[in-house]
Amino acid sequence: MTSISPLRQLLAGGALVAAGLGLVACSEAPEETSSTNASVDNGLPEYQVPLVEFGADPWIHRTEDGQYYFISTAPEFDRIELVTADTLNGLADAEPKVIWQRPDEGPTAGNVWAPELHRIDGVWYVHVALGHGDQPFRMRMHVLSNPNEDPMTGEWTDEGAIETPWESFSLDATTFEHNGKRYLIWAQSDQQQRYNSALYLAEMDSPTSITGPVIAITEPELDWEQVGYKVNEGAAVLKRNGRIFVTYSAAATDHNYAVGLVWADEDADLTDPASWKKSPEPVFHTNESLERFGPGHNSFTVAEDGETDLMVYHTRSYKELKGNPLTDPNRHARVRVIGWDEDGFPEFYQNRPDNHHLNPEQYEDSNADASEYGRAYISKESFGELPDGREVTRFTLNNGEGMEVKLMNYGGIITHLTVPDKNGELDNVVLGFETLNDYVEQNPPYFGALIGRYGNRIANGRFDLNGETITLDQNDGDNHLHGGLVGFDKKLWDAKFVSDERGLAVELFLLSEDGDQGYPGNLEVTTRYVLTDDNELITEFRAETDKATPVNLTQHTYFNLSGEGKILDHILQINADRYTPVDSGLIPTGELAPVAGTPLDFTEPKPIGQDINADHPQLTRVGGGFDHNFVLDREGQDGLIVAARAEDPNTGRVLEVLTEEPAIQFYSGNFLDGSLSDGEREFVLHGGFCLEPQHYPDSPNQPDFPSTILEPGEVYETSMSFRFDVK
């Protein structure tokens, strides 16, 4: 990868990196094509490439009478120039007018970046990032105004800086009006100093100031947004087809620079983070075959016909940086036609040249994102606060194939899981609540939670380890269950979106300290949820310890493939010909008993309810149903195997559970009694079932069971997944 200038680093005084607007080097001018205005069949001209040779961070404003104004970052970063023409190609040869020159000293005497021109209530405004004279990269957002009818004439006045709730590196302010309200979107270093810049939105009470809540609409969490620097910047707004689309640029300003996309429905509350959805992949990026490297910081305008949408962006025609980007900053501005796909989303034509509109019939594009279920996206929102004031975040993964997973960092809990049925109808097929308070106050069933340090029971809450008796919480009569009174299901995990080649992913991290619920050792646990395009939710665990400790992690989601009612008619098959019988305290006796000839035989598919009321002591002991550990029949197979398969004959939904674990716990919702609900569904007896991959219960006290002891220097790793289909 090309090295980045050392000038792009954290600077003295707390200013963050010069995240890159206009800072790209080039020692040779890009090749140009014809600049004629000859019309073609679609009525649009052939646009000059580049449109403007030195035009980083390009912004084009078109007036109602069709006049174009072009503004961009000047190569010397010392002034603001404006050019105008009645055609786009005319901008290339138009005489620039310097409308603002930085002073010799003071708070606005540093770098001048990314100006934008707006006409608001009869006044011209320029939103621009200005650096301090003593610290050129101490960028803050400023606003200039000009009341004259013609922005090329009249006086421009500095209205001062736009104040945000915290003081840090900020730039790239853009403004737009929607439903009678004006909004500002800008890039700023976050308060926790995790990122070089994220994108924020707030309502405006004037063109020069914001009011009300400030929300983040996108943060640079994905790999492609963090190459070189953790950057989201350069927002541009396009309102079409019932949505508010916002493009942005991410990563270092070399060939890795790329354009991302977030969007919200036009009727949504734009100040609610839950309204914003984000494409997990860039929508416009380097195309080496077209000699287009590091495209980014775009804006939008319309063509001379007043209708065709155009993307205005900067790029380079070479890959390797040549020279210092501060002394040779010559990214050039281009324009290209964008289209609209069948879902109403912008199509940027990644594999087409800029003038593809001249002969569009020669291109065959396949939109892999288009489906009957819409676009794949990720999003996150606040899900409330815990009693101690800590905020809980809920993450959404939607693969565009009908499957959507909502999970939160409190307990790693899956709150919703939506999949299609045989008719394509979507429904939530897991049990859970609608509010955080319900999970905190009334989740004895462990709905949707991550379970640890030890899934299932440990007899009498104690075991011997290395000559020492370890005493744990007794939270299930005399026994220890699912990690104790404050197990992993009640912990607030650190969580973030991450990139994963298999699909959309959230990664959670937890430090379980030495003595947590009685367990020895500091245990570092990482859990990753991955939603694939094939409607599979993968759950991966990784853990390390500094003292020997038992570890048995699992996932405790309750499924109902009908979406509501009872699950007794679900057809279940479990790949196990043995199970571990339990005593009256629900602790394994140590025996591995055959399922043959008992109600616990699911080696062949059968309805869950077929034998659930059979007269068998094992069913009576667990509350009148199934709650047993089944020993999987691996037949010498290592790694992932299909442990169980469930099918709802009414909806046709099929669930397969895959695991690397030696066993799986099947629980038929014996203690659900209708007292819990999500406001619409009552969780009745046998209203959901669990299939929990695991090691055997009480293994620390059962020397003949597979060991669950993790030693220092070892790595605990296991994977399980829920795979959905229809029949």
Side-chain angles (χ1 to χ4, degrees):
M1 183 179 2
T2 304
S3 61
I4 308 298
S5 167
L7 290 172
R8 293 191 59 190
Q9 56 186 313
L10 295 175
L11 302 172
L16 288 181
V17 299
L21 302 181
L23 305 186
V24 177
C26 178
S27 60
E28 56 190 14
E31 182 179 351
E32 298 183 2
T33 63
S34 169
S35 62
T36 65
N37 276 315
S39 294
V40 293
D41 289 345
N42 57 20
L44 300 181
E46 178 181 355
Y47 292 117
Q48 180 166 303
V49 182
L51 186 72
V52 177
E53 185 174 345
F54 299 100
D57 317 317
W59 179 271
I60 294 179
H61 177 92
R62 185 178 188 269
T63 64
E64 292 182 359
D65 61 1
Q67 189 72 11
Y68 290 101
Y69 292 91
F70 178 87
I71 195 169
S72 66
T73 298
E76 295 78 16
F77 314 121
D78 64 349
R79 65 190 185 275
I80 301 175
E81 292 182 339
L82 187 63
V83 298
T84 186
D86 57 7
T87 65
L88 286 166
N89 280 329
L91 295 171
D93 301 319
E95 187 69 24
K97 170 70 179 295
V98 177
I99 63 171
W100 189 83
Q101 183 79 43
R102 73 182 178 194
D104 293 333
E105 59 183 17
T108 61
N111 288 319
V112 182
W113 286 353
E116 289 190 4
L117 180 69
H118 297 272
R119 181 73 163 169
I120 304 172
D121 297 331
V123 178
W124 291 100
Y125 293 92
V126 169
H127 290 75
V128 62
L130 301 176
H132 196 282
D134 295 332
Q135 298 178 14
F137 293 98
R138 186 182 181 276
M139 308 304 296
R140 299 295 185 270
M141 301 176 293
H142 283 251
V143 183
L144 312 178
S145 69
N146 183 350
N148 207 49
E149 185 69 24
D150 182 0
M152 303 290 289
T153 63
E155 296 296 323
W156 286 86
T157 301
D158 184 358
E159 300 287 352
I162 298 177
E163 295 184 2
T164 64
W166 63 97
E167 176 73 8
S168 66
F169 181 87
S170 57
L171 68 166
D172 292 356
T174 192
T175 180
F176 69 101
E177 185 276 335
H178 183 62
N179 288 343
K181 297 180 180 180
R182 180 159 292 279
Y183 298 90
L184 188 78
I185 301 177
W186 71 97
Q188 186 167 4
S189 167
D190 65 300
Q191 292 174 286
Q192 292 77 35
Q193 303 287 298
R194 297 167 298 170
Y195 313 122
N196 303 121
S197 63
L199 279 189
Y200 298 91
L201 175 144
E203 191 176 336
M204 306 188 79
D205 54 7
S206 78
T208 62
S209 63
I210 62 174
T211 185
V214 170
I215 67 160
I217 63 171
T218 172
E219 298 173 329
E221 298 176 290
L222 303 175
D223 285 354
W224 70 271
E225 300 173 301
Q226 298 185 348
V227 181
Y229 294 94
K230 298 177 180 180
V231 169
N232 281 178
E233 62 185 14
V237 179
L238 186 60
K239 299 196 295 182
R240 295 286 187 274
N241 304 326
R243 299 184 181 94
I244 311 295
F245 295 102
V246 179
T247 53
Y248 65 95
S249 298
T253 55
D254 58 8
H255 61 280
N256 294 293
Y257 208 48
V259 176
L261 183 71
V262 297
W263 66 91
D265 292 337
E266 64 179 2
D267 296 328
D269 177 2
L270 301 187
T271 62
D272 181 356
S275 299
W276 293 94
K277 301 172 181 179
K278 177 175 176 176
S279 171
E281 301 294 339
V283 295
F284 195 59
H285 48 89
T286 289
N287 187 316
E288 191 162 352
S289 66
L290 295 175
E291 297 184 338
R292 184 185 71 225
F293 296 94
H297 201 132
N298 75 283
S299 61
F300 296 102
T301 190
V302 293
E304 286 83 351
D305 63 4
E307 297 179 355
T308 304
D309 289 308
L310 299 178
M311 177 186 189
V312 187
Y313 70 103
H314 67 219
T315 191
R316 299 189 312 280
S317 59
Y318 57 92
K319 182 176 182 179
E320 298 299 329
L321 294 177
K322 301 176 182 179
N324 189 320
L326 294 179
T327 59
D328 192 11
N330 58 359
R331 279 183 288 190
H332 51 273
R334 297 183 180 185
V335 296
R336 61 190 286 115
V337 170
I338 64 171
W340 298 93
D341 68 16
E342 61 190 36
D343 295 328
F345 279 72
E347 174 58 72
F348 296 93
Y349 302 119
Q350 164 67 20
N351 296 319
R352 297 187 187 185
D354 285 325
N355 279 312
H356 65 87
H357 62 279
L358 298 180
N359 297 290
E361 64 278 356
Q362 69 178 291
Y363 303 102
E364 294 183 3
D365 292 297
S366 60
N367 185 359
D369 288 324
S371 80
E372 61 179 306
Y373 300 107
R375 284 291 182 105
Y377 67 84
I378 58 177
S379 68
K380 64 182 179 180
E381 62 186 305
S382 172
F383 198 57
E385 292 184 351
L386 295 173
D388 60 9
R390 290 178 297 166
E391 185 177 15
V392 174
T393 300
R394 184 163 68 172
F395 299 79
T396 299
L397 307 173
N398 188 307
N399 66 0
E401 299 297 333
M403 186 166 172
E404 179 175 280
V405 179
K406 292 181 180 291
L407 61 100
M408 58 177 167
N409 59 338
Y410 175 70
I413 292 171
I414 296 171
T415 66
H416 295 74
L417 194 156
T418 302
V419 290
D421 66 8
K422 60 186 178 183
N423 299 315
E425 297 296 323
L426 302 178
D427 207 347
N428 178 25
V429 297
V430 302
L431 276 55
F433 301 115
E434 292 301 315
T435 69
L436 175 63
N437 185 65
D438 283 337
Y439 283 102
V440 174
E441 297 286 334
Q442 53 175 9
N443 195 19
Y446 299 90
F447 285 151
L450 296 178
I451 302 299
R453 288 188 193 187
Y454 200 93
N456 222 306
R457 293 174 174 84
I458 295 178
N460 300 310
R462 65 175 182 264
F463 59 92
D464 293 333
L465 180 61
N466 296 333
E468 180 183 358
T469 298
I470 306 298
T471 301
L472 307 175
D473 285 347
Q474 292 176 316
N475 62 317
D476 182 55
D478 293 333
N479 301 321
H480 176 86
L481 175 65
H482 289 336
L485 291 171
V486 188
F488 290 1
D489 61 296
K490 298 178 182 66
K491 304 284 191 182
L492 188 64
W493 299 59
D494 294 330
K496 61 183 179 180
F497 288 118
V498 293
S499 295
D500 192 296
E501 63 183 8
R502 296 166 296 180
L504 313 179
V506 173
E507 188 170 273
L508 303 98
F509 174 81
L510 178 68
L511 171 61
S512 176
E513 296 182 344
D514 187 17
D516 184 10
Q517 313 305 298
Y519 288 98
N522 294 295
L523 185 73
E524 294 185 344
V525 183
T526 299
T527 302
R528 179 172 289 199
Y529 286 112
V530 183
L531 175 59
T532 75
D533 291 341
D534 297 324
N535 288 354
E536 180 177 12
L537 180 63
I538 300 168
T539 307
E540 294 177 331
F541 294 104
R542 188 179 193 276
E544 294 181 90
T545 184
D546 58 4
K547 293 182 181 178
T549 189
V551 180
N552 183 28
L553 307 180
T554 191
Q555 219 292 330
H556 203 288
T557 289
Y558 287 66
F559 295 98
N560 184 320
L561 300 182
S562 296
E564 60 183 356
K566 297 193 174 187
I567 47 80
L568 298 179
D569 61 349
H570 284 37
I571 308 300
L572 178 65
Q573 183 176 17
I574 301 176
N575 181 24
D577 56 16
R578 293 176 297 167
Y579 76 105
T580 54
V582 295
D583 61 21
S584 59
L586 306 186
I587 298 298
T589 63
E591 179 188 5
L592 302 185
V595 299
T598 77
L600 290 92
D601 189 352
F602 286 92
T603 55
E604 296 295 329
K606 71 176 182 180
I608 291 174
Q610 178 173 307
D611 298 320
I612 202 167
N613 295 316
D615 184 13
H616 191 282
Q618 285 295 309
L619 301 190
T620 304
R621 286 176 183 173
V622 298
F626 303 99
D627 191 7
H628 293 85
N629 175 64
F630 288 78
V631 179
L632 296 177
D633 184 5
R634 286 190 162 271
E635 297 181 351
Q637 300 178 74
D638 294 325
L640 283 170
I641 64 168
V642 177
R645 182 184 186 277
E647 175 190 336
D648 175 22
N650 297 314
T651 65
R653 292 189 180 100
V654 175
L655 166 65
E656 289 185 329
V657 181
L658 292 82
T659 183
E660 294 180 282
E661 292 294 291
I664 191 167
Q665 185 86 5
F666 168 47
Y667 172 54
S668 56
N670 310 328
F671 297 102
L672 300 175
D673 60 6
S675 62
L676 301 176
S677 78
D678 61 5
E680 294 184 359
R681 300 176 298 172
E682 290 186 350
F683 302 138
V684 298
L685 176 66
H686 306 313
F689 67 92
C690 300
L691 291 165
E692 308 156 56
Q694 61 179 14
H695 269 60
Y696 304 173
D698 198 36
S699 290
N701 292 311
Q702 304 269 1
D704 292 334
F705 285 0
S707 175
T708 57
I709 303 302
L710 179 66
E711 299 283 351
E714 297 178 343
V715 178
Y716 171 97
E717 290 182 306
T718 191
S719 176
M720 57 195 69
S721 73
F722 303 122
R723 188 164 64 192
F724 291 88
D725 204 344
V726 292
K727 179 179 178 180

